[in-house]
Amino acid sequence: MEHTYRLVISCPDRVGIVAKVSNFLTTYNGWITEASHHSDNQAGWFFMRHEIRANTIPFGLDQFRAAFEPIAREFDMQWHVADSAAPKKVVLMCSRESHCLADLLHRWHSGELNAEVAAVISNHDDLRSMVEWHGIPYHHVPVSRDTREEAFAEIGDLFAHYEADLVVLARYMQILPQSLCEEYSGRIMNIHHSFLPSFAGARPYHQAYSRGVKLIGATCHYVTEDLDEGPIIEQDVMRISHSDTIDDMVRLGKDVEKYVLARGLRAHIEDRVIIHENKTVVFD
Amino acid sequence: MEHTYRLVISCPDRVGIVAKVSNFLTTYNGWITEASHHSDNQAGWFFMRHEIRANTIPFGLDQFRAAFEPIAREFDMQWHVADSAAPKKVVLMCSRESHCLADLLHRWHSGELNAEVAAVISNHDDLRSMVEWHGIPYHHVPVSRDTREEAFAEIGDLFAHYEADLVVLARYMQILPQSLCEEYSGRIMNIHHSFLPSFAGARPYHQAYSRGVKLIGATCHYVTEDLDEGPIIEQDVMRISHSDTIDDMVRLGKDVEKYVLARGLRAHIEDRVIIHENKTVVFD
Amino acid sequence: MEHTYRLVISCPDRVGIVAKVSNFLTTYNGWITEASHHSDNQAGWFFMRHEIRANTIPFGLDQFRAAFEPIAREFDMQWHVADSAAPKKVVLMCSRESHCLADLLHRWHSGELNAEVAAVISNHDDLRSMVEWHGIPYHHVPVSRDTREEAFAEIGDLFAHYEADLVVLARYMQILPQSLCEEYSGRIMNIHHSFLPSFAGARPYHQAYSRGVKLIGATCHYVTEDLDEGPIIEQDVMRISHSDTIDDMVRLGKDVEKYVLARGLRAHIEDRVIIHENKTVVFD
Amino acid sequence: MEHTYRLVISCPDRVGIVAKVSNFLTTYNGWITEASHHSDNQAGWFFMRHEIRANTIPFGLDQFRAAFEPIAREFDMQWHVADSAAPKKVVLMCSRESHCLADLLHRWHSGELNAEVAAVISNHDDLRSMVEWHGIPYHHVPVSRDTREEAFAEIGDLFAHYEADLVVLARYMQILPQSLCEEYSGRIMNIHHSFLPSFAGARPYHQAYSRGVKLIGATCHYVTEDLDEGPIIEQDVMRISHSDTIDDMVRLGKDVEKYVLARGLRAHIEDRVIIHENKTVVFD
């Protein structure tokens, strides 16, 4: 993989932003390998992502940041620049269902994901052996009504210990406390096994079966305090028919869940997602 | 198109139904060109559709019905037999949006739909010329708050006059009164411009835009008293992105709406849909 | 629809192109509503499209061209700037099959396509009434082995008479002569009823049936001298099964053909397609 | 999973087949949980699959076969009856690419596939640890030009040793000798990384990139002597764009390959596929 910097910007829209930023990059001879723009006319907001060959820029990330800061201030930008050579640290969380976890582990193991899987945390011990085969630490933190507070304190400590840039709930069946949602705002990703906003809450396949829909889906979204209401990153669906039972739907849905979560994760770790209010811009 | 009879059955599930029905058909030398079965184990209900070459059966539809009646009684069947040579009479309803109407009219005009489009009814006069070019009567029945009752009385009279087997709401923007919903239960079909149950009610694309979903959809369903809650016949979706405005979504969604409605309509007029409680069995 | 200019560029890739172009636009205060870039690293080629609010630029198209010309020369650009207020003149060609033609006419008639449908040319007279209802001239130019040369001379004259910016073969079943292909290179679009390169040539659905594929497709491409070998603009597929006959495939395929052609056409008339060698860049 | 018998039949089409078979089942009180029929009118051939609750039949599989044999003879049936409680023995073959193998192993490990994965054979040793973690024997059989004959003799012995009902080439990059193709006719399944018949042969993603297609695909098919020409079981595609490099296509394609192979495999092990000439009937 090529060594690149990713410059990601969102700011109020006005004339001259692109010129300013591209002049900046040209001044330092930066070779742009990918450029994406989006003007949200309704919100009056502008979004931009550049991927630049690191070796064409004559300085490192700190100097880049210092040099760019005046432009950022001038245009009221929310921005960051990320280094492809510093893969994000990801903590995965799961319960008993293995399909999403196994899928992500294999993608990571085969070099498809530019991320460091720092640890797996689960409220069950079932998947330990699979995780440890990959050489990844496994933390079993049971959660019961009585131990909930201590459990999530421990989990928060683990996030801190592993310096998690991102937490991925890979079919983790517990609700995170508000404090963690806030602390890791925009950095916790969940896969919900329905095409949200349909069938939020528990047992979405049962809900889908009762309603008699002809497609089932999955939604990858950032976790917020409002359960299943956070900004959507990726969604997809699969065709079913009257002959599919709930068990069939659960089985078929796994393929959509895996795929949607993997795409959402990939977009995030490549700094392709910008959150604005309760929606996302995702630069393919 | 081959001349066939379509025998459509639903009944409580038990051993021997298929044998009984296929013996019946074999006794009369009926050549089955298509056979579909479904056992809903959860509901304990059985569904079956046969398509039989009409010229292999030694008698007409009335005798067929009389001969089959004892079997139907024995197994508590809800059933009917339809004749492909007697296309269903369909009344289309529309408002100002032309895409679904134009699509259905073209399919009918080019011989793709085995149905008789008996008339078009609209609360606006905009689409008269397009309809009349096809040689189909156009009835402009304005609906206002004050005239609503008379308007729907007139519409009910038109249904009766045209002996409508099926009414298709091709983006008709008025809510039918309960009396018509009941009288034509299972015979009024609507296209809703969202992937139900998401975004029921008004302005679904606006709702979809606000929620930031990554797919938009359409749903073809039977009309019941509970708006947007009737049995779903067909659904599909289309991928969108952050760069699509509401106008883009409205435009893109038209293709899904047209396609989903056309598929739902085709299934109904070929007697492929069986309603059971609030769901459908659709034999492809 | 907003009045915009579309600046479309392709050139050898190097540092500074984006800066140069965006500076140019900023200098004249041009408000960019859409910007798309693509670097083809393998070919060493760069592609760019900007959509700019016309009323933010202090001069018209001729002055724009003159002002931009030095930059274009500096970077060896192939480029053009188009005016959304000057819709392209499109000539449609068809034979007997009406589905693609009817679909395009309806899209045009309902205001979905920003183009002027100047005329329809057909080697049959069947679809005259449908076309004339839309207020569009219909030219019946029969083509037989003996009259082929005169026929295409007449057709060439019609293209010239209508000042065709684009010719769309909407299931036109004749092969255009090499001279027309060359004269209108990059400006004649065809819909082929298979997922090319599978099933090029005649009767693609028959070929697909024989091979037993599980999906059928359609391909919108520019016409070149090499039949079915031109640059692909858009493709899509539809699932079929063993139960679909050739007639079913022909019927089902129509929906894919219509949709793929309409998307390809839309991309072209909005100046979103750039041809490079035998491939296309399509900026969504 | 319920214990069922699967009765799978193909024969020349005529009146009375369904009646005969369903009478047979009714006579022995067999409870049919799934029934599928297909008449290929062009080929004059009939296909049928029944799934029957094993515990409703008063005898075992041998007696079933004996009792059914006269019917089979009367109608010139090719047929078999399979027992869901006797999962098929499957040998997987792979080379260095792990995605299909890992996907199948996880499906098997999590109980999604009703099959016994008897062994994995590879011409490389790379994936041994992954396979052995699952408790499955791994055989490294290198294949070079010089050792080809002995290698495939050894492989044939392994097939025999494990009594393989089915061999799955999960991105196995060697061509099987004609003798094995014949001996295991209809029992060797391959995943080809293109939408066949497009891009048969080597390096299909490179071919797809050169042609500039807008979708990439994968095809699961039975292996015959004619490479990439065998009966197709399942296919699917994924949208790409001009911005996807060959590496992107290779990566994106993996998801389609995995999914298509898994669906094809599932269909086979549930006795849902019937081969007729060079095509398949697949009863969903």
Side-chain angles (χ1 to χ4, degrees):
Chain A
M1 215 184 62
E2 200 172 19
H3 183 198
T4 58
Y5 296 144
R6 299 164 191 149
L7 176 61
V8 183
I9 294 164
S10 67
C11 62
D13 201 1
R14 60 186 241 213
V15 168
I17 306 171
V18 175
K20 200 75 166 198
V21 173
S22 49
N23 274 342
F24 171 84
L25 294 173
T26 302
T27 301
Y28 296 108
N29 212 35
W31 184 291
I32 300 166
T33 62
E34 228 186 293
S36 310
H37 303 74
H38 172 56
S39 295
D40 183 333
N41 294 328
Q42 184 152 323
W45 219 257
F46 183 74
F47 305 86
M48 184 160 47
R49 178 186 184 276
H50 284 92
E51 193 142 356
I52 306 129
R53 283 197 186 127
N55 64 7
T56 64
I57 298 267
F59 43 55
L61 222 54
D62 286 345
Q63 266 182 281
F64 189 113
R65 287 193 185 103
F68 191 73
E69 187 56 40
I71 295 176
R73 263 200 303 272
E74 180 185 346
F75 288 87
D76 283 322
M77 291 176 175
Q78 292 185 285
W79 72 289
H80 74 275
V81 57
D83 185 343
S84 73
K88 297 197 194 326
K89 296 187 187 73
V90 178
V91 169
L92 305 178
M93 299 189 73
C94 61
S95 291
R96 280 194 162 119
E97 287 277 16
S98 62
H99 56 287
C100 284
L101 185 73
D103 183 72
L104 294 183
L105 290 177
H106 177 263
R107 289 177 196 270
W108 169 77
H109 187 251
S110 61
E112 188 183 310
L113 291 180
N114 182 30
E116 180 193 331
V117 177
V120 174
I121 304 173
S122 177
N123 56 331
H124 293 282
D125 211 34
D126 307 40
L127 304 178
R128 175 182 295 278
S129 155
M130 172 189 288
V131 170
E132 291 182 346
W133 180 84
H134 289 85
I136 296 168
Y138 188 89
H139 296 272
H140 177 203
V141 185
V143 179
S144 67
R145 198 171 304 175
D146 292 345
T147 65
R148 199 177 142 75
E149 211 164 322
E150 301 92 304
F152 281 106
E154 185 182 345
I155 286 168
D157 290 346
L158 287 168
F159 290 176
H161 172 74
Y162 287 109
E163 301 175 321
D165 294 308
L166 179 70
V167 174
V168 177
L169 309 186
R171 299 296 309 272
Y172 182 66
M173 304 305 278
Q174 297 288 328
I175 296 169
L176 298 195
Q178 186 176 331
S179 57
L180 279 180
C181 294
E182 280 169 8
E183 187 179 347
Y184 288 86
S185 172
R187 296 191 288 148
I188 308 180
M189 178 180 285
N190 184 44
I191 181 73
H192 184 79
H193 38 315
S194 83
F195 179 61
L196 289 173
S198 289
F199 313 133
R203 311 227 301 175
Y205 292 124
H206 288 73
Q207 295 182 54
Y209 183 83
S210 294
R211 183 60 186 92
V213 290
K214 301 299 184 186
L215 303 168
I216 53 171
T219 302
C220 176
H221 64 95
Y222 290 111
V223 171
T224 59
E225 294 168 48
D226 299 313
L227 196 65
D228 301 333
E229 296 286 337
I232 293 170
I233 308 165
E234 179 59 289
Q235 303 187 287
D236 214 337
V237 296
M238 169 175 287
R239 185 160 283 272
I240 55 162
S241 82
H242 58 261
S243 68
D244 289 307
T245 62
I246 292 177
D247 284 349
D248 291 329
M249 290 164 66
V250 168
R251 173 177 53 78
L252 292 165
K254 285 178 181 174
D255 281 311
V256 192
E257 294 167 37
K258 290 187 304 194
Y259 176 71
V260 166
L261 178 56
R263 276 179 62 100
L265 173 56
R266 182 178 184 85
H268 182 99
I269 62 178
E270 294 186 350
D271 300 283
R272 296 180 178 282
V273 188
I274 308 176
I275 303 175
H276 185 67
E277 294 178 351
N278 202 42
K279 297 166 68 170
T280 63
V281 169
V282 183
F283 288 124
D284 280 336
Chain B
M1 213 188 62
E2 201 173 20
H3 182 198
T4 58
Y5 296 143
R6 300 167 191 146
L7 176 62
V8 183
I9 293 165
S10 68
C11 62
D13 201 2
R14 60 185 242 213
V15 166
I17 306 173
V18 175
K20 199 74 166 200
V21 173
S22 51
N23 274 342
F24 171 84
L25 293 173
T26 302
T27 302
Y28 295 110
N29 212 38
W31 184 289
I32 300 166
T33 62
E34 228 185 293
S36 310
H37 303 74
H38 172 56
S39 295
D40 183 333
N41 293 329
Q42 185 153 325
W45 218 258
F46 183 73
F47 305 87
M48 184 159 48
R49 178 187 183 274
H50 284 92
E51 193 142 355
I52 306 129
R53 283 197 186 126
N55 65 8
T56 63
I57 297 269
F59 43 57
L61 221 54
D62 286 345
Q63 265 183 283
F64 189 114
R65 287 191 186 104
F68 191 73
E69 187 55 40
I71 295 176
R73 261 200 304 272
E74 181 185 345
F75 287 86
D76 282 321
M77 291 175 176
Q78 291 184 286
W79 72 288
H80 74 275
V81 56
D83 185 344
S84 72
K88 297 201 196 320
K89 294 187 187 74
V90 178
V91 170
L92 304 178
M93 299 189 74
C94 62
S95 291
R96 279 195 162 117
E97 287 277 18
S98 61
H99 56 286
C100 284
L101 186 73
D103 182 72
L104 294 183
L105 290 176
H106 178 263
R107 289 177 196 269
W108 169 77
H109 186 252
S110 61
E112 189 184 310
L113 291 180
N114 181 32
E116 179 192 332
V117 177
V120 175
I121 303 172
S122 177
N123 56 331
H124 293 282
D125 211 33
D126 307 43
L127 304 178
R128 175 183 296 280
S129 156
M130 171 189 288
V131 171
E132 291 182 347
W133 180 84
H134 288 86
I136 296 168
Y138 188 88
H139 296 272
H140 177 204
V141 184
V143 178
S144 67
R145 198 171 305 174
D146 293 346
T147 64
R148 201 178 139 74
E149 209 165 323
E150 301 91 303
F152 281 106
E154 185 182 344
I155 286 167
D157 289 348
L158 287 168
F159 290 177
H161 172 74
Y162 287 110
E163 299 175 322
D165 293 308
L166 179 71
V167 174
V168 177
L169 308 186
R171 298 295 309 272
Y172 181 67
M173 304 304 279
Q174 297 289 328
I175 297 170
L176 299 195
Q178 186 177 331
S179 57
L180 279 181
C181 293
E182 280 170 8
E183 187 180 348
Y184 288 87
S185 172
R187 294 190 291 147
I188 307 179
M189 178 179 286
N190 184 44
I191 181 74
H192 184 79
H193 39 314
S194 83
F195 179 66
L196 288 173
S198 288
F199 313 133
R203 312 229 298 175
Y205 292 123
H206 288 72
Q207 296 182 54
Y209 183 83
S210 295
R211 184 60 187 92
V213 290
K214 301 298 185 187
L215 303 168
I216 53 171
T219 303
C220 176
H221 63 94
Y222 289 110
V223 172
T224 58
E225 293 169 49
D226 299 314
L227 196 64
D228 302 330
E229 297 286 338
I232 293 170
I233 308 165
E234 179 60 289
Q235 302 187 287
D236 214 339
V237 296
M238 170 175 290
R239 186 161 284 271
I240 55 164
S241 82
H242 58 261
S243 69
D244 290 306
T245 62
I246 293 178
D247 284 350
D248 291 328
M249 289 163 66
V250 167
R251 174 177 53 79
L252 291 165
K254 286 178 181 173
D255 281 312
V256 191
E257 295 168 36
K258 289 187 303 194
Y259 176 71
V260 167
L261 179 56
R263 275 180 63 101
L265 173 56
R266 182 177 184 85
H268 182 99
I269 63 179
E270 294 187 348
D271 299 283
R272 296 181 178 281
V273 189
I274 308 177
I275 303 173
H276 184 68
E277 295 177 353
N278 203 43
K279 296 167 68 171
T280 63
V281 169
V282 182
F283 289 123
D284 279 336
Chain C
M1 215 186 60
E2 201 172 19
H3 182 198
T4 59
Y5 296 144
R6 298 165 191 147
L7 177 61
V8 182
I9 293 165
S10 67
C11 62
D13 201 1
R14 60 186 242 211
V15 167
I17 307 172
V18 174
K20 199 74 166 199
V21 173
S22 50
N23 274 342
F24 171 85
L25 294 173
T26 303
T27 301
Y28 296 109
N29 214 36
W31 184 291
I32 300 166
T33 62
E34 228 184 295
S36 310
H37 303 73
H38 172 56
S39 295
D40 183 333
N41 293 330
Q42 183 153 327
W45 219 256
F46 184 72
F47 305 86
M48 184 160 47
R49 177 187 184 275
H50 284 93
E51 193 143 355
I52 307 129
R53 281 195 188 128
N55 64 8
T56 64
I57 298 268
F59 43 56
L61 221 54
D62 287 344
Q63 265 183 281
F64 189 113
R65 287 193 185 105
F68 191 72
E69 186 56 39
I71 296 176
R73 262 200 304 272
E74 181 186 346
F75 288 87
D76 282 322
M77 291 175 174
Q78 291 185 285
W79 72 289
H80 74 274
V81 56
D83 185 343
S84 74
K88 296 198 196 325
K89 294 187 188 73
V90 178
V91 170
L92 305 178
M93 300 188 74
C94 62
S95 292
R96 279 194 162 118
E97 287 277 15
S98 62
H99 57 287
C100 284
L101 186 73
D103 182 72
L104 294 183
L105 290 176
H106 178 263
R107 288 177 197 269
W108 169 77
H109 187 252
S110 61
E112 189 184 309
L113 292 180
N114 181 30
E116 180 193 330
V117 178
V120 174
I121 303 173
S122 177
N123 56 332
H124 293 282
D125 211 33
D126 307 41
L127 305 178
R128 177 183 294 279
S129 155
M130 172 189 287
V131 171
E132 291 182 347
W133 180 83
H134 288 86
I136 296 169
Y138 187 89
H139 296 273
H140 177 203
V141 184
V143 179
S144 67
R145 199 171 304 176
D146 293 344
T147 65
R148 201 178 139 73
E149 209 165 321
E150 301 91 304
F152 280 107
E154 184 181 345
I155 287 167
D157 289 347
L158 287 168
F159 289 178
H161 173 74
Y162 287 110
E163 300 175 323
D165 294 308
L166 180 71
V167 174
V168 178
L169 308 187
R171 296 297 309 272
Y172 181 67
M173 303 305 278
Q174 298 288 329
I175 297 170
L176 297 197
Q178 187 177 332
S179 57
L180 279 180
C181 293
E182 280 170 9
E183 187 179 347
Y184 288 86
S185 172
R187 294 191 290 147
I188 308 180
M189 178 179 285
N190 183 45
I191 181 74
H192 184 78
H193 38 315
S194 83
F195 179 64
L196 289 174
S198 289
F199 313 133
R203 312 228 301 175
Y205 292 124
H206 289 72
Q207 295 181 55
Y209 183 83
S210 294
R211 183 61 186 93
V213 290
K214 301 299 185 186
L215 302 169
I216 53 172
T219 302
C220 176
H221 63 95
Y222 289 111
V223 172
T224 58
E225 293 168 48
D226 299 314
L227 195 65
D228 301 332
E229 296 286 336
I232 294 170
I233 308 164
E234 178 61 288
Q235 303 187 287
D236 214 339
V237 296
M238 169 175 288
R239 187 161 282 272
I240 55 163
S241 82
H242 58 261
S243 69
D244 289 306
T245 62
I246 292 178
D247 284 350
D248 291 329
M249 289 164 65
V250 168
R251 174 177 54 78
L252 291 165
K254 285 178 181 173
D255 280 313
V256 192
E257 295 168 37
K258 290 188 302 195
Y259 176 71
V260 167
L261 178 57
R263 275 179 64 101
L265 174 56
R266 182 178 184 86
H268 182 98
I269 63 178
E270 293 185 350
D271 300 283
R272 296 181 178 280
V273 189
I274 308 177
I275 302 174
H276 185 66
E277 295 177 351
N278 201 43
K279 296 166 68 170
T280 64
V281 169
V282 183
F283 289 124
D284 280 336
Chain D
M1 216 187 60
E2 200 173 21
H3 182 198
T4 58
Y5 296 144
R6 300 166 190 146
L7 177 61
V8 182
I9 293 165
S10 68
C11 62
D13 201 1
R14 60 187 243 211
V15 168
I17 306 172
V18 175
K20 200 74 166 199
V21 173
S22 50
N23 273 342
F24 171 84
L25 294 172
T26 303
T27 302
Y28 295 109
N29 213 36
W31 184 290
I32 300 167
T33 61
E34 228 185 294
S36 310
H37 303 74
H38 172 56
S39 296
D40 183 333
N41 293 328
Q42 184 153 324
W45 218 257
F46 183 74
F47 305 87
M48 183 160 49
R49 177 186 184 276
H50 283 91
E51 193 143 356
I52 307 129
R53 283 196 186 128
N55 65 7
T56 64
I57 297 268
F59 43 55
L61 222 54
D62 286 344
Q63 265 183 285
F64 189 113
R65 288 192 184 105
F68 191 71
E69 187 55 40
I71 295 176
R73 261 201 304 272
E74 180 185 347
F75 288 86
D76 282 321
M77 291 173 175
Q78 291 185 284
W79 72 289
H80 73 274
V81 57
D83 185 343
S84 73
K88 297 199 195 321
K89 295 186 186 75
V90 178
V91 169
L92 305 179
M93 299 188 75
C94 62
S95 292
R96 278 194 163 118
E97 287 276 18
S98 62
H99 57 286
C100 284
L101 186 73
D103 182 73
L104 294 183
L105 290 177
H106 178 264
R107 289 178 196 269
W108 169 77
H109 187 251
S110 61
E112 189 184 309
L113 292 180
N114 181 32
E116 179 193 331
V117 177
V120 174
I121 303 173
S122 177
N123 55 332
H124 294 282
D125 210 36
D126 307 42
L127 305 178
R128 176 183 295 279
S129 154
M130 172 189 287
V131 171
E132 290 182 346
W133 180 84
H134 289 86
I136 296 169
Y138 187 88
H139 297 272
H140 177 202
V141 185
V143 179
S144 67
R145 199 172 302 174
D146 293 343
T147 63
R148 202 178 139 73
E149 210 165 322
E150 301 91 303
F152 281 108
E154 185 181 344
I155 287 168
D157 289 348
L158 287 168
F159 290 177
H161 172 73
Y162 287 111
E163 301 176 321
D165 294 308
L166 179 71
V167 174
V168 178
L169 308 187
R171 298 297 308 273
Y172 181 66
M173 303 306 278
Q174 298 288 329
I175 297 170
L176 298 196
Q178 187 177 331
S179 57
L180 279 180
C181 292
E182 279 171 9
E183 188 179 348
Y184 288 86
S185 171
R187 295 190 291 146
I188 307 180
M189 178 180 287
N190 184 43
I191 181 73
H192 183 79
H193 38 314
S194 84
F195 178 61
L196 289 174
S198 289
F199 314 133
R203 311 227 302 172
Y205 292 125
H206 288 73
Q207 296 181 54
Y209 183 82
S210 295
R211 183 61 187 93
V213 290
K214 301 299 185 187
L215 303 168
I216 53 171
T219 303
C220 177
H221 63 94
Y222 289 111
V223 171
T224 58
E225 295 169 46
D226 300 314
L227 195 65
D228 301 332
E229 296 286 336
I232 294 170
I233 308 165
E234 179 60 289
Q235 303 186 287
D236 214 338
V237 295
M238 169 173 290
R239 184 160 285 271
I240 55 163
S241 83
H242 58 261
S243 69
D244 290 307
T245 63
I246 292 178
D247 284 350
D248 291 329
M249 289 163 66
V250 168
R251 173 177 53 78
L252 291 164
K254 286 178 182 174
D255 281 312
V256 192
E257 295 168 38
K258 289 187 303 194
Y259 176 70
V260 166
L261 179 57
R263 276 180 62 101
L265 174 56
R266 183 177 183 85
H268 182 98
I269 62 180
E270 293 185 350
D271 299 284
R272 296 181 178 282
V273 189
I274 309 177
I275 302 174
H276 185 67
E277 295 176 352
N278 202 44
K279 297 166 69 171
T280 63
V281 169
V282 183
F283 288 124
D284 280 335

